[in-house]
Amino acid sequence: MSDTTTGAGKLRGSIGVVGIVFLVIAAAAPLTAIGGALPVMIAIGNGAGAPTAYLIAALVLLVFSVGYAAMSSHMVDTGAFYAYVAKGLGESCGLGAAGLALLTYTAIQGAVYGLAAATIQSLAVQYGGPDLPWWMWALVLIALVAVLGYRSIDLGAKVLGVLLVLEIGIILVLSFGVLARGGAAGIDFASFTPTSFFSGSPGVALMFAIASFIGFEATAIYGEEARNPRRTIPIATYAAVIVIGLVYALASWAVVLAFGSDNVSAAAAADPAGLTFAAAAHFLGGPAADVMAIMLVTSLFAALLAFHNAISRYVFALARKGAAPRALSRTHTKHGSPHIGSVAQTISATVVVGVFALVGADPVLELFTWMAGLATVSILVLMVLTSVAIIAFFARTRLDTRLWHTRIAPLLGCVGLVAVTGLVLDNFTTLIGGSELLADILLAVIAIFFVAGLVVARVTRQSRAGVERDRELTPTI
């Protein structure tokens, strides 16, 4: 046996609440949300009411997290959504959910590679560096993520921890800088009024707000690598949603005030890509805007590493259950990581980026936009399934009889998620660039991945049944 491979087993790590919170907040990429998604929310969504959209999204996800955390106390499985749906609704639905999870994280990671590579390309030229194609920068990022993703989760958590502290630090500095100077026209709370929220297209704003939280649910993925997971995972889940929601609400409110509640929509429409950085330049000075632009790259890198870790662990969980090639269930003897799954994920990321590069696609307008839209719908469907599974699980097992945790909160979370999904579908064509044909194709891809999971479940059951029959027919000596 080499020193790099073991048979299928458990992952190893000693990550605590803070480390897991760092991992999932890094996946949400706060600076990317405030620098990239927020200006679009303001420009084509509900203007100054964008901060309320973040609070509503946080509330819906917090209610969803009640049942999610309750179920995490009764099972520790790196498959997370897949494992939860399988326990609640059966193995077939579970593998359908696994298909959606792999699609979600692969798509959002591909989207972030496109945005990160385009951002580095622009910065490199701005600061006198080489004018390389975006896909070459993407390959550099893939290589760096591959090295860290192959190793122990503890190392990845430390790297993400440093990047995340710096990232949230610059966001808070900007927020308090704007508030301390009274914004462009004084401090007001118009952003948090019903009038502002329902102005324009609140559905578009809510859609981007939900997309900005993708990754928070990954707390359960790290259960096997956590200290005292039955306590750590629930606390980390609540903490991640609350911290992300508060940071988004505060920072988005500060950006609104930086231009004034009445003028921010026009400013965002005129320069969506530079809105947040213009606020930083005005209230903190030009160097601060430059630092923020550079830190956008580290924010995106942190998100890439977090999603890489999530995908490799999903693949590991599927392989351990016999629903994926067995080699993917191997763990590294030294690092305790799903290193084969990590390598497979590196290959898949390279393929996604390579396909878009070969056809000459724009890394932002096409790779980022299309894949982010696909991931948003997919994760919402996945969370609705998980909510139903949680209700079914506790109704059947009676392991927890707390009404709020096992019935009311999961049901309310499910209703809220269904409502948000409806809003997203109504605005999906806008999200992915305006093509109805493309919207239909991407929605069909989501259905295909879920059905593919059902087919894999059927094939796996038939294979197991065949093995059992062979055993029964084999004479004993």
Side-chain angles (χ1 to χ4, degrees):
M1 180 77 67
S2 72
D3 66 348
T4 60
T5 306
T6 69
K10 289 179 68 66
L11 300 172
R12 297 197 314 274
S14 58
I15 188 170
V17 171
V18 174
I20 293 177
V21 170
F22 278 163
L23 283 165
V24 298
I25 296 181
L31 187 54
T32 303
I34 299 304
L38 175 63
V40 179
M41 291 171 62
I42 294 173
I44 66 175
N46 60 349
T52 298
Y54 281 123
L55 290 179
I56 291 175
L59 180 61
V60 170
L61 296 179
L62 195 58
V63 174
F64 163 81
S65 297
V66 173
Y68 190 62
M71 194 163 177
S72 73
S73 298
H74 298 281
M75 57 183 296
V76 176
D77 194 308
T78 195
F81 280 157
Y82 148 64
Y84 287 30
V85 174
K87 282 287 186 180
L89 302 178
E91 188 67 20
S92 293
C93 280
L95 286 175
L100 292 178
L102 290 175
L103 173 64
T104 295
Y105 294 127
T106 300
I108 196 64
Q109 189 184 47
V112 176
Y113 271 121
L115 181 59
T119 302
I120 296 175
Q121 181 188 42
S122 176
L123 288 174
V125 173
Q126 178 182 339
Y127 291 106
D131 186 8
L132 301 176
W134 69 268
W135 55 266
M136 292 188 68
W137 292 114
L139 291 178
V140 172
L141 290 171
I142 289 173
L144 292 173
V145 169
V147 172
L148 289 174
Y150 187 90
R151 297 171 64 85
S152 167
I153 192 64
D154 297 314
L155 175 62
K158 291 173 183 176
V159 172
L160 291 177
V162 172
L163 296 179
L164 190 60
V165 168
L166 295 174
E167 179 182 351
I168 292 184
I170 193 68
I171 292 174
L172 294 179
V173 168
L174 171 61
S175 301
F176 290 120
V178 172
L179 293 173
R181 294 178 58 182
I187 305 297
D188 65 62
F189 297 90
S191 292
F192 303 104
T193 63
T195 301
S196 289
F197 174 72
F198 287 107
S199 65
S201 302
V204 172
L206 196 56
M207 172 178 62
F208 277 101
I210 287 289
S212 298
F213 279 84
I214 292 180
F216 89 93
E217 73 290 339
T219 50
I221 291 176
Y222 303 106
E224 290 185 19
E225 296 158 283
R227 297 191 298 268
N228 191 10
R230 298 184 189 278
R231 175 182 176 275
T232 299
I233 300 307
I235 294 175
T237 302
Y238 292 133
V241 175
I242 291 171
V243 171
I244 294 172
L246 291 178
V247 169
Y248 284 167
L250 175 63
S252 58
W253 181 42
V255 171
V256 169
L257 294 177
F259 295 91
S261 299
D262 295 331
N263 302 319
V264 69
S265 294
D271 184 20
L275 184 77
T276 302
F277 303 102
H282 181 73
F283 286 91
L284 302 178
D290 293 336
V291 170
M292 183 173 284
I294 294 171
M295 290 205 61
L296 176 59
V297 175
T298 65
S299 170
L300 292 165
F301 177 77
L304 288 170
L305 180 55
F307 285 123
H308 177 96
N309 287 333
I311 299 169
S312 60
R313 280 152 183 78
Y314 255 104
V315 170
F316 169 84
L318 290 171
R320 193 166 57 181
K321 296 287 187 180
R326 199 67 180 174
L328 295 171
S329 68
R330 293 176 181 171
T331 56
H332 197 284
T333 54
K334 178 180 179 182
H335 305 305
S337 62
H339 63 301
I340 304 297
S342 178
V343 171
Q345 165 51 22
T346 298
I347 294 172
S348 70
T350 304
V351 170
V352 171
V353 169
V355 168
F356 277 84
L358 286 174
V359 299
D362 185 277
V364 177
L365 297 179
E366 292 167 334
L367 176 54
F368 175 74
T369 303
W370 296 358
M371 294 297 97
L374 179 65
T376 301
V377 176
S378 184
I379 195 67
L380 283 167
V381 174
L382 188 54
M383 285 194 288
V384 169
L385 275 174
T386 304
S387 295
V388 175
I390 290 169
I391 295 171
F393 173 79
F394 286 116
R396 185 178 68 253
T397 64
R398 308 293 295 175
L399 289 173
D400 190 332
T401 57
R402 294 175 296 175
L403 193 61
W404 167 251
H405 290 75
T406 63
R407 298 286 198 282
I408 299 176
L411 180 59
L412 290 176
C414 184
V415 171
L417 289 167
V418 168
V420 172
T421 303
L423 288 172
V424 170
L425 290 175
D426 284 342
N427 295 277
F428 187 62
T429 302
T430 301
L431 179 63
I432 52 90
S435 170
E436 293 186 5
L437 176 60
L438 178 61
D440 291 339
I441 292 173
L442 293 179
L443 293 176
V445 168
I446 295 173
I448 289 170
F449 267 74
F450 182 75
V451 172
L454 300 180
V455 171
V456 169
R458 182 179 180 84
V459 172
T460 301
R461 277 200 309 271
Q462 291 176 341
S463 176
R464 290 172 180 168
V467 171
E468 291 299 322
R469 284 196 301 270
D470 290 342
R471 287 176 178 173
E472 292 175 358
L473 294 174
T474 300
T476 57
I477 299 176

